Amino acid sequence: MNADQQHFVVAFKSDKMGSGDDQLGSLLIKAYINTLVENDNKPAALVFYNAGVLLAAEDSDTAPALQVLEEQGVELLLCGTCVEFFDLKQRLAAGTISNMYAISDTLSSTGHVIYP
């Protein structure tokens, strides 16, 4: 990371981007994640909680891009309680099941948190 780039984390609290039309929100979040793959300035981590964990499921349109980000060295932390709630444990394509302590620590120790 050069001096001009900031240390940041992206927090996904939903499987949609913005509010309004859900179909549009799904398209926007997919485009956002695909753009992260192409950006030179990568986030230090991606944090997923509540319905955001659905983005890491095998059948998600975003799973391939999340796998690439993981291969590029971006840490993906998934709320374990949320994974259990949505019964995703056996269907995850990317990320590490984590806990709220690690998620809180990641969010509080970064320079910036982005909520798409």
Side-chain angles (χ1 to χ4, degrees):
M1 181 181 312
N2 69 41
D4 295 332
Q5 295 176 319
Q6 297 285 331
H7 179 80
F8 69 101
V9 171
V10 181
F12 295 92
K13 56 185 175 180
S14 174
D15 59 342
K16 314 276 185 300
M17 187 174 195
S19 58
D21 185 83
D22 284 347
Q23 186 177 10
L24 177 59
S26 293
L27 291 172
L28 293 173
I29 202 75
K30 181 180 176 185
Y32 181 81
I33 291 171
N34 285 330
T35 300
L36 288 177
V37 171
E38 302 301 323
N39 282 349
D40 291 334
N41 188 15
K42 302 280 188 241
L46 304 179
V47 173
F48 301 85
Y49 55 91
N50 208 323
V53 297
L54 298 170
L55 296 167
E58 292 172 338
D59 58 350
S60 170
D61 289 342
T62 53
L66 292 176
Q67 290 170 332
V68 171
L69 284 165
E70 204 167 31
E71 291 167 7
Q72 293 174 339
V74 177
E75 183 178 27
L76 278 66
L77 296 176
L78 306 168
C79 164
T81 302
C82 307
V83 168
E84 286 181 31
F85 181 85
F86 289 106
D87 196 25
L88 291 178
K89 192 171 185 177
Q90 304 303 320
R91 300 185 301 120
L92 290 175
T96 301
I97 296 174
S98 189
N99 58 48
M100 200 50 72
Y101 178 83
I103 288 170
S104 175
D105 186 55
T106 299
L107 292 173
S108 65
S109 64
T110 189
H112 299 285
V113 178
I114 297 171
Y115 298 91

